[in-house]
Amino acid sequence: MAAKPSNSPKQGRPNCMKRCSNVFVSALEGFFYRLGKLVAGYPWLTILLTLLLGGSLSAGMVKFYQESRSEKLWVPYGSQALEHQNWVSEKFPAKFRFEFLLIEADNVLVPSVLQAMLALDTSIKNVSTDATNWTSICYQLGPNCWSSSLLELWSFDETTINGLSQQDVLDKVNQNNLMSPVTFRPYDVEAVLGEIQRDSGGQISGAKATTMLYGVKDQSVERQGQRVDDVRSEWEKGFLEVAQKERSDGVTVTPYATRSFGDEGGGAIQSDLTLLSAGYFLIIAYVAMVLGKFNCIEQKIYVSLMGVLCVGLSIIGSMGICSAAGAAYGPVHSILPFLILGIGVDDMFVVVSAWNNLSPADRKRGRREQAALALKHAGVSITVTSMTDVVAFGVGASTILPALQSFCIYAAVSIFLVFVYSCTLFFAVMCLDFQRWEGRRNACCCCYVHKPDYRPTECSQKDRLQLFFQKIYAPGLLTIPGKIVTLVVVSAILGVSIWGMVNLRQNFDSTWFLPDDSYLKLYLQKTETYFPDDGFEVDIYVGDIDYYGERAKLHTLYQRFEADSYVTDGTVTSWFEDYTTWVNSTKNSTLLGADGHATDSTTFHQWIVQFLTTDATGRSHSGDVQLNSTTSPVSIIASRLRGTYKTLKDSSEEIEAMDSLIAVTDSVGFSGEAFPYARQFNGWETNKVIKTELYRNLGIAMAAVFVITLLLLADILGSLWVLLCVVLTLVDVGGMMHHWGLTIDTVTTNIMILAIGLAVDYAAHICHTFLTINGTRQERAHVALGNMGPAVFNGGFSTFLAFVLLATSNSYVFITFFKVFFLVVVFGCLHGLVFLPVILSWLGPAPYDTAAGRDEEQPEDAGYIEKVQTNGFENPSLEMNGDVSTVMPEFVKPADFSPRVTSQPAYPADIPPPDYDAPPGSPIRSGLGSTNSVHGHGEAAIQWGSRGKIPAVSN
């Protein structure tokens, strides 16, 4: 058939950008052409060298270490909270940890419940291991091990407790100025009772819950990136076993131990790794099904397995490189293999699709030439997506959050390596598989050679997905009604998503990391129900200042601390205020100045030592003041005031509460160090920057992606359309996160960075294919969607298979991973396979100059075939033994088209004969040696038979 004249707008002299584009694309295609030819020529050597590369890269894993400390993972670099934590650990080192039991009953203030609590207390204190027991591990207050509960009111005495009546219990808990007979300190009974019931006189008559506390020594040491205390950890196992035993006394016990977060949170992630592994096998099965055909020869089992092996090698290689560079491996890194599997499989689908989409004429060429052409086309496409992914993660690595930085580094290296392995190791196995196919060897057992009369089933020869895209989907989508519906649907979804994006909140609760059936999650939920007014403890620390000279500021700090709107009334305690009261009540007024304090610094500090060592109230503050010594000259190294926050509803309020106390402390104007600190500040400071970090990273990553896409696609309009698809995908994902109950937190921030890479993949492949095709925009969009659409769909669907089983997970990390990645796949495919082709059919960029060389017939060839079709020819040595068939898309075939080849007595004078020097079995070639094919307009190929006959003419 004659080449159909292009209806594309006429191009003038290419501008500088276009000339650079042509040079760059030609160079890149030339590189992959030569690489494909080299790999196809030496497949076994390629496999050997890439396996040696993988082995050498894995050597770096000797420096592999895993980080689990939250302050080393999620606290921003340069964080004040982290600096303050280190300061507090140095000045006020932790000496003990608490283990808790929550006791529930219809009424815990009855003798039977107290007796059950006593039996439980005895069992706890009988827990022992090879290394320790209760008396050796408990933290002592004076001569007594520190344990506190209602039992303390009766000195834990079994005889007394067993003899209690109901009235005895109520009389004790309603006693005024109640003191503990064990510690000789005031005992606030209401602080340990939940859902208190009162009689008509306001007296306590019952309660639904109470707590039991056990203080144990903290002997933690740092080991391999985490704080560990093996002795305490083993004892806690026994503690939890006792607490979780089945009970028949009507009492419910819910425990909390120091190790609980690590056990329950980490255990949730580890238990769901089996789901991810199952997803891995789903992908292997799907890839094997899609890449091959269902018959004994054309199945691609080994190609599929090699594709998965390439992903594994890239993961191992990245762990080796990153470990050697000192990057830690964190808990979120467990999703990395499945992210890389999804991206790597995408590359493999594109490579296989490029080989499958070679023209019939190209498929007649030799194996090395076919391989070179396939990699020439696929190499540029996967370079665009892989390099944009690498850049997106590279930008993410600039974050100030250590865990996110490490994850992005690992991901960037992994994606680069899977790109390298796809172009070498995977492609080498493809070439060997092609060689196996040529030799008619069995797909499973390569030793078995099928007989020449073996014919694959007709069903196995049909690529139904490709036919669907080419015959049904693309023609339907690219009609005027299809385009209008597409724009309406995309606009409607965008509107809903923008509304959701505006309302997307920043919030995070560490309990989300716990499974729903976790005993720890139950404990935290129940304590929040029974003790709703208990907020987080917060202290204000003051460093080495002139305490005597700045004593008025200490009083001001106390007043402002107590008046802060986020602090619970009556919870602020100050050693300095109690010291002032003690001085005024015990010292002669003649020794005091006008402000009620000693008149000189030496006396002031000596009285402080006396207060902390001799007075009962002072002794309770002994942990709040750090002295250089207790003998003259005495000075205070550090001190603290203690308080409790109100219950804070979300992350925003937590950040406001933290900033409020920081402002309070700064307003006092101490000459030295002074700051508020709570253990939760590390997480709150992360939440404070996480939203800014998310939008910063997304913005920079999208800008970088645009630059790299522009460099590799070498077309500014095409790059802008790809960027638009990425932006729309991210907006849709962010908006739907709100509608699905997700918030901005450390987990979603991680995954949103990943979304950029996947969103680029779905759009860039379609756009690149569009640029390599000649014709009108409508024709090019149709062919691009028909040829590359199945590969993009398969890549998205295989990514979905990797995490679909996580929908049943109990882990917040994996549930969130499923939700966000599901949205990314859905909206990425929506914009890449639906919206982008529609836009390209209207406003697509002009094709590459190299597209003409690939897709158009040379004038001599076109003229020759046209004149043959019009005038025919007669040659006694040539016989037509096949029909002319049309394979053009229906929408470009003229209504009056009817191919014909007729016989004439002689060649027309202006028709040159075919190239008889072309080798048997070759397509007709003109003097320029180009293959007669019109990509996008159907293909014309006349093959010469072994006796100079034409066995078939196809068009």
Side-chain angles (χ1 to χ4, degrees):
M1 186 187 80
K4 181 177 177 179
S6 174
N7 294 326
S8 301
K10 281 194 173 184
Q11 303 291 321
R13 185 176 182 272
N15 58 28
C16 179
M17 180 68 194
K18 196 66 179 176
R19 291 197 300 272
C20 293
S21 162
N22 295 333
V23 170
F24 185 79
V25 171
S26 297
L28 206 55
E29 288 184 338
F31 168 77
F32 282 108
Y33 178 87
R34 291 188 292 273
L35 178 63
K37 209 162 194 176
L38 182 66
V39 171
Y42 304 96
W44 287 110
L45 179 61
T46 302
I47 292 172
L48 176 62
L49 291 177
T50 49
L51 290 178
L52 288 175
L53 173 65
S56 61
L57 292 179
S58 66
M61 290 186 65
V62 295
K63 293 188 176 181
F64 174 84
Y65 77 99
Q66 189 164 354
E67 181 63 76
S68 61
R69 292 169 294 177
S70 60
E71 67 271 17
K72 296 292 185 181
L73 291 169
W74 302 114
V75 181
Y77 289 117
S79 163
Q80 273 197 330
L82 193 56
E83 293 176 5
H84 292 161
Q85 175 183 290
N86 295 333
W87 188 94
V88 170
S89 297
E90 178 186 349
K91 304 296 184 182
F92 297 88
K95 298 178 181 179
F96 54 84
R97 301 279 183 172
F98 287 131
E99 323 291 343
F100 292 96
L101 297 174
L102 178 67
I103 308 299
E104 297 174 273
D106 292 336
N107 183 2
V108 296
L109 298 178
V110 296
S112 61
V113 172
L114 293 176
Q115 290 158 13
M117 290 171 59
L118 180 63
L120 178 61
D121 180 76
T122 302
S123 298
I124 293 294
K125 292 175 180 177
N126 284 335
V127 171
S128 63
T129 67
D130 293 337
T132 190
N133 55 32
W134 168 245
T135 56
S136 61
I137 199 174
C138 72
Y139 183 79
Q140 292 190 312
L141 292 177
N144 301 312
C145 283
W146 190 359
S147 66
S148 179
S149 65
L150 288 174
L151 304 176
E152 184 178 341
L153 299 176
W154 295 276
S155 303
F156 298 96
D157 183 75
E158 182 178 1
T159 302
T160 303
I161 293 173
N162 286 337
L164 289 173
S165 66
Q166 177 70 37
Q167 193 59 45
D168 291 336
V169 175
L170 296 179
D171 288 344
K172 176 65 75 172
V173 298
N174 285 292
Q175 183 178 321
N176 293 326
N177 301 317
L178 191 60
M179 299 289 290
S180 166
V182 177
T183 63
F184 304 104
R185 295 180 179 180
Y187 191 92
D188 184 0
V189 71
E190 293 189 18
V192 298
L193 293 176
E195 290 193 12
I196 296 174
Q197 301 158 3
R198 298 181 184 274
D199 59 22
S200 57
Q203 296 288 300
I204 296 174
S205 60
K208 294 289 187 182
T210 187
T211 59
M212 301 173 69
L213 173 152
Y214 298 87
V216 296
K217 295 175 184 176
D218 184 0
Q219 304 171 81
S220 302
V221 294
E222 188 169 319
R223 185 190 305 156
Q224 296 180 346
Q226 54 185 330
R227 300 287 298 178
V228 295
D229 185 341
D230 294 333
V231 174
R232 188 187 72 237
S233 182
E234 282 300 310
W235 186 86
E236 286 176 342
K237 283 184 181 179
F239 170 84
L240 292 171
E241 287 174 5
V242 170
Q244 292 177 298
K245 283 183 178 178
E246 293 281 343
R247 307 186 65 87
S248 58
D249 50 13
V251 174
T252 302
V253 180
T254 311
Y256 168 87
T258 307
R259 61 175 294 153
S260 296
F261 261 104
D263 287 349
E264 297 293 284
I269 295 177
Q270 294 299 322
S271 64
D272 286 330
L273 288 180
T274 55
L275 294 176
L276 285 170
S277 301
Y280 226 103
F281 286 107
L282 276 178
I283 287 185
I284 293 174
Y286 182 74
V287 170
M289 179 182 70
V290 170
L291 293 186
K293 298 180 179 179
F294 289 99
N295 60 66
C296 296
I297 295 180
E298 295 177 293
Q299 189 56 264
K300 296 184 182 295
I301 297 173
Y302 298 112
V303 173
S304 305
L305 292 175
M306 184 53 64
V308 176
L309 177 62
C310 288
V311 173
L313 286 174
S314 69
I315 298 293
I316 294 172
S318 71
M319 292 174 72
I321 293 173
C322 296
S323 297
Y329 189 91
V332 182
H333 290 55
S334 58
I335 68 175
L336 191 61
F338 308 95
L339 167 70
I340 304 305
L341 182 63
I343 293 175
V345 167
D346 288 352
D347 290 349
M348 294 162 204
F349 282 132
V350 171
V351 173
V352 174
S353 178
W355 199 318
N356 290 341
N357 286 333
L358 290 176
S359 69
D362 288 338
R363 295 179 73 86
K364 306 287 189 215
R365 303 187 184 196
R367 174 169 48 87
R368 291 187 65 183
E369 187 67 19
Q370 287 190 50
L373 290 172
L375 195 59
K376 171 185 175 182
H377 301 320
V380 177
S381 187
I382 65 175
T383 298
V384 172
T385 56
S386 297
M387 292 305 104
T388 50
D389 288 345
V390 169
V391 169
F393 286 113
V395 170
S398 67
T399 182
I400 59 176
L401 298 176
L404 179 56
Q405 181 189 68
S406 173
F407 182 87
C408 288
I409 292 172
Y410 271 82
V413 174
S414 297
I415 291 170
F416 178 76
L417 289 177
V418 83
F419 162 72
V420 171
Y421 288 132
S422 295
C423 296
T424 52
L425 179 58
F426 176 76
F427 196 68
V429 174
M430 270 191 66
C431 293
L432 290 175
D433 189 72
F434 183 80
Q435 190 175 342
R436 174 198 61 76
W437 172 78
E438 285 184 318
R440 306 179 65 82
R441 294 181 178 274
N442 188 272
C444 296
C445 181
C446 300
C447 300
Y448 179 76
V449 179
H450 287 271
K451 297 178 180 180
D453 60 351
Y454 172 80
R455 292 289 180 271
T457 61
E458 183 179 349
C459 177
S460 71
Q461 299 305 296
K462 294 181 180 179
D463 187 339
R464 287 173 172 77
L465 184 62
Q466 188 95 34
L467 289 173
F468 169 77
F469 269 85
Q470 290 178 340
K471 302 295 184 183
I472 300 175
Y473 177 67
L477 176 69
L478 297 176
T479 59
I480 295 299
K483 295 177 182 180
I484 293 173
V485 170
T486 295
L487 293 183
V488 170
V489 170
V490 169
S491 299
I493 293 174
L494 180 63
V496 174
S497 298
I498 290 175
W499 181 81
M501 193 81 170
V502 170
N503 290 280
L504 185 62
R505 295 185 304 113
Q506 176 186 341
N507 192 27
F508 180 70
D509 187 341
S510 58
T511 61
W512 295 348
F513 279 102
L514 303 173
D516 291 337
D517 57 353
S518 162
Y519 72 84
L520 178 56
K521 190 165 189 174
L522 288 175
Y523 174 85
L524 295 172
Q525 290 174 340
K526 288 178 178 180
T527 51
E528 188 173 343
T529 300
Y530 289 123
F531 307 99
D533 296 329
D534 286 1
F536 298 113
E537 293 182 359
V538 59
D539 302 333
I540 294 182
Y541 293 85
V542 181
D544 189 1
I545 64 170
D546 179 2
Y547 279 84
Y548 178 71
E550 299 186 62
R551 59 191 183 277
K553 293 181 179 178
L554 290 171
H555 178 63
T556 300
L557 177 63
Y558 168 75
Q559 290 179 316
R560 294 180 181 178
F561 189 7
E562 193 172 44
D564 187 87
S565 59
Y566 294 99
V567 174
T568 304
D569 295 338
T571 61
V572 176
T573 60
S574 167
W575 67 271
F576 181 75
E577 296 301 311
D578 288 343
Y579 164 72
T580 301
T581 302
W582 175 80
V583 166
N584 282 274
S585 63
T586 61
K587 300 301 179 183
N588 194 311
S589 60
T590 60
L591 301 176
L592 306 180
D595 63 351
H597 285 283
T599 56
D600 63 273
S601 176
T602 301
T603 304
F604 174 82
H605 285 92
Q606 288 175 345
W607 286 358
I608 288 176
V609 174
Q610 187 180 353
F611 168 68
L612 295 175
T613 55
T614 62
D615 182 75
T617 302
R619 284 196 296 270
S620 70
H621 286 298
S622 60
D624 296 333
V625 181
Q626 296 296 314
L627 305 171
N628 67 333
S629 70
T630 56
T631 58
S632 184
V634 177
S635 66
I636 300 175
I637 300 172
S639 67
R640 65 185 174 191
L641 286 72
R642 317 197 77 165
T644 303
Y645 276 125
K646 295 177 180 177
T647 301
L648 305 173
K649 61 182 182 182
D650 56 26
S651 294
S652 297
E653 195 167 50
E654 289 169 350
I655 293 168
E656 291 170 3
M658 177 178 66
D659 289 343
S660 177
L661 276 189
I662 291 174
V664 162
T665 308
D666 291 343
S667 70
V668 176
F670 286 106
S671 61
E673 207 163 15
F675 56 86
Y677 177 76
R679 182 173 52 85
Q680 292 76 19
F681 276 15
N682 286 338
W684 295 0
E685 193 161 287
T686 300
N687 288 333
K688 184 177 180 179
V689 302
I690 196 72
K691 192 171 186 177
T692 303
E693 279 293 294
L694 173 61
Y695 292 135
R696 167 194 170 275
N697 288 341
L698 289 178
I700 297 176
M702 283 191 289
V705 162
F706 172 72
V707 172
I708 296 300
T709 305
L710 178 61
L711 177 65
L712 297 176
L713 284 183
D715 187 279
I716 189 167
L717 183 58
S719 301
L720 286 172
W721 289 135
V722 171
L723 179 64
L724 176 63
C725 289
V726 174
V727 172
L728 292 178
T729 298
L730 292 178
V731 171
D732 288 349
V733 170
M736 294 304 169
M737 280 170 52
H738 166 74
H739 297 302
W740 212 340
L742 298 176
T743 61
I744 297 176
D745 57 46
T746 52
V747 178
T748 53
T749 297
N750 260 316
I751 302 173
M752 284 292 282
I753 298 298
L754 313 184
I756 296 178
L758 292 178
V760 170
D761 290 357
Y762 299 128
H765 288 309
I766 297 294
C767 187
H768 174 258
T769 304
F770 181 84
L771 288 166
T772 63
I773 300 169
N774 249 340
T776 65
R777 291 189 179 99
Q778 178 82 0
E779 295 165 3
R780 293 162 62 206
H782 184 286
V783 175
L785 189 56
N787 287 353
M788 189 53 65
V792 173
F793 175 82
N794 284 327
F797 190 71
S798 63
T799 303
F800 172 75
L801 285 179
F803 58 81
V804 64
L805 296 179
L806 296 183
T808 62
S809 171
N810 285 325
S811 164
Y812 171 75
V813 173
F814 287 150
I815 281 287
T816 304
F817 183 68
F818 165 75
K819 290 181 178 180
V820 178
F821 260 47
F822 175 78
L823 294 173
V824 171
V825 170
V826 169
F827 292 121
C829 287
L830 171 68
H831 295 110
L833 293 176
V834 183
F835 174 74
L836 183 59
V838 169
I839 293 298
L840 292 177
S841 70
W842 279 333
L843 302 170
Y848 296 138
D849 283 0
T850 54
R854 278 194 297 269
D855 301 328
E856 292 182 355
E857 296 174 347
Q858 296 294 338
E860 292 184 23
D861 294 329
Y864 179 83
I865 295 179
E866 182 179 17
K867 291 175 181 179
V868 166
Q869 290 175 336
T870 304
N871 303 316
F873 62 84
E874 180 184 21
N875 188 324
S877 66
L878 299 177
E879 298 173 3
M880 303 297 295
N881 61 359
D883 295 328
V884 177
S885 62
T886 62
V887 292
M888 293 188 302
E890 292 297 323
F891 75 94
V892 298
K893 187 168 67 177
D896 59 349
F897 174 77
S898 177
R900 82 194 150 83
V901 178
T902 61
S903 298
Q904 296 291 335
Y907 287 107
D910 59 344
I911 300 180
D915 296 340
Y916 283 106
D917 59 345
S922 299
I924 281 186
R925 295 179 181 275
S926 71
L928 296 178
S930 64
T931 301
N932 291 288
S933 65
V934 183
H935 190 66
H937 300 273
E939 294 176 343
I942 301 178
Q943 183 177 1
W944 296 93
S946 59
R947 294 185 296 108
K949 296 182 179 182
I950 302 178
V953 178
S954 64
N955 195 28

